[in-house]
Amino acid sequence: MQNEVIVYSISDSLGETSQKLLSAVMVQYPNLVFHNNYKFPFVNQKEELLPILADALRDKAIVISTLVNHELSEVAKSFSRKTGLLYIDLMHPLFEIIHAKTGMQPIEEPGAVHKLDTEYFNRISAIEFAVKYDDGKDPKGFLDSDVVLLGVSRTSKTPLSMYLANKGYKVSNLPLIPEVPLPKVLEEVDKSKIVGLTCHPENLVRIRSNRLDSLGLHQSSSYNNLETIHKELAYSQEIFDHYGNFVIDVSDKSIEETAFIVEHHLKSL
C-alpha cells in the first residue's frame, strides 16, 4: 500500500486556497507522507500550464487547482480526462452551481480575495488608529487622520470614530474643555478635515444625566448642569468659528446618520 502522496498546487494567484484545504486534509491522514513542495502560483498561460500537468502525470501526483480562468480550467480538465491525471478543480464546480442558480458568471479575476483581505486589514488598522488617538490621547495623530472630530463631552465622538474606522477611515477626536488649552498641533491640521460636533443643551443634560446614573454617581453635578453645558457649547462654537469647521448637530441623530454626513463631507473635499 502506497503511503506517500505527491501533490501539485496550481493557481493563477498565490494558491493559498488550495494550501488551506490541503492542510485540513493532511491532518486526517497521520500515516501518510505528503510531498507538497510542488506549488505553481501565477499560472496564467496555457503554455505554462501544460508542462506542469505533464510533470504531475509523470510523478503520479494529485493536482489541486484554484484557477479562476475558465479557459485554463478547461485545458486542465481536458488534459486530465485524456490522460487519467488525478485532478481536482476547487473553483469551477461551485461557479457552475452558482451560475445555474443565479445566472451570474464569476468575474474570473485572480487574487480578488486578497483585495478583500487588503480592505479588511485597512479597516483593522483604522480601528487601531481610532483607539490609539481617541479622546485626544496623542495629538500627533491629528496630522495623520482622515478626519479629526471636535466636540464637548457626550457628543458621540468616540462611537462615531469607531463607526467610521470600521469603514476604513483614520479618525482621531478631541474633547473640547474650556479650562484645557487646545494642542498646538491642531493648527497644522488641514482645516477641511476637522469636523465639529454639537448638540442641543437639553439633549446633553439628558445624556450626561444618564451617564452619571450608569456610573452610580449623584445627579447634582456641573457635568450635567444646563448653565455649564451652555458655556461649554458656546466655547466649542468659538473653536469651530476659529477653524472654519464643518459642524454637525448630532441632536437626535443616530451614529449612522452622522457618519453618513461626515463621509459625504469628506468625499466632497
Side-chain angles (χ1 to χ4, degrees):
M1 179 71 70
Q2 184 177 353
N3 67 345
E4 294 188 354
V5 179
I6 297 174
V7 180
Y8 276 45
S9 301
I10 304 175
S11 174
D12 37 21
S13 183
L14 292 175
E16 291 180 337
T17 302
S18 61
Q19 291 304 304
K20 288 176 182 177
L21 173 65
L22 186 57
S23 294
V25 169
M26 285 166 57
V27 297
Q28 301 300 321
Y29 295 92
N31 296 321
L32 287 180
V33 176
F34 287 84
H35 299 283
N36 184 33
N37 295 322
Y38 302 92
K39 301 171 186 176
F40 302 92
F42 304 111
V43 175
N44 52 34
Q45 299 290 332
K46 178 181 177 180
E47 292 73 20
E48 295 176 82
L49 177 59
L50 286 174
I52 296 170
L53 296 175
D55 287 344
L57 182 64
R58 183 198 65 221
D59 290 337
K60 299 180 181 179
I62 296 172
V63 176
I64 303 176
S65 166
T66 53
L67 296 166
V68 298
N69 181 278
H70 177 74
E71 189 175 318
L72 288 179
S73 174
E74 286 300 312
V75 168
K77 282 192 284 187
S78 175
F79 183 96
S80 65
R81 283 195 298 266
K82 292 176 181 177
T83 63
L85 175 68
L86 300 176
Y87 172 85
I88 180 170
D89 182 340
L90 297 184
M91 309 298 282
H92 288 269
L94 185 54
F95 287 169
E96 290 165 8
I97 291 172
I98 293 172
H99 177 257
K101 184 175 178 63
T102 68
M104 300 291 288
Q105 295 285 6
I107 59 173
E108 296 188 12
E109 182 180 345
V113 67
H114 295 288
K115 292 185 178 180
L116 296 177
D117 287 346
T118 299
E119 291 176 9
Y120 170 78
F121 287 114
N122 286 343
R123 191 162 65 248
I124 295 300
S125 176
I127 292 171
E128 292 174 347
F129 185 95
V131 171
K132 181 175 181 179
Y133 298 113
D134 180 45
D135 215 25
K137 289 174 186 170
D138 184 353
K140 293 193 296 292
F142 296 161
L143 296 174
D144 296 320
S145 300
D146 296 319
V147 59
V148 180
L149 304 176
L150 304 182
V152 300
S153 176
R154 314 315 293 177
T155 48
S156 303
K157 296 184 298 299
T158 294
L160 181 58
S161 293
M162 297 308 300
Y163 187 91
L164 289 168
N166 268 285
K167 305 192 82 174
Y169 292 96
K170 292 188 294 184
V171 188
S172 56
N173 69 74
L174 177 70
L176 298 179
I177 304 170
E179 300 81 14
V180 179
L182 294 175
K184 292 182 180 179
V185 71
L186 198 60
E187 294 288 344
E188 302 175 38
V189 178
D190 181 346
K191 302 304 181 285
S192 64
K193 295 183 178 181
I194 301 177
V195 173
L197 303 177
T198 190
C199 185
H200 294 161
E202 293 76 13
N203 288 52
L204 276 182
V205 170
R206 174 175 49 80
I207 294 168
R208 290 184 179 186
S209 295
N210 290 338
R211 176 61 174 164
L212 290 175
D213 277 342
S214 70
L215 295 174
L217 299 176
H218 194 273
Q219 282 289 319
S220 180
S221 164
S222 62
Y223 182 67
N224 64 338
N225 178 272
L226 183 59
E227 184 179 350
T228 302
I229 288 173
H230 271 290
K231 291 179 180 178
E232 289 183 31
L233 289 172
Y235 169 72
S236 70
Q237 189 58 54
E238 290 177 11
I239 300 302
F240 301 155
D241 291 342
H242 172 75
Y243 287 105
N245 288 156
F246 178 73
V247 180
I248 304 171
D249 187 339
V250 301
S251 306
D252 302 318
K253 283 187 177 65
S254 67
I255 296 299
E256 292 83 358
E257 288 176 298
T258 307
F260 176 83
I261 296 171
V262 173
E263 279 196 277
H264 186 268
H265 167 68
L266 295 176
K267 290 175 181 176
S268 70
L269 298 179

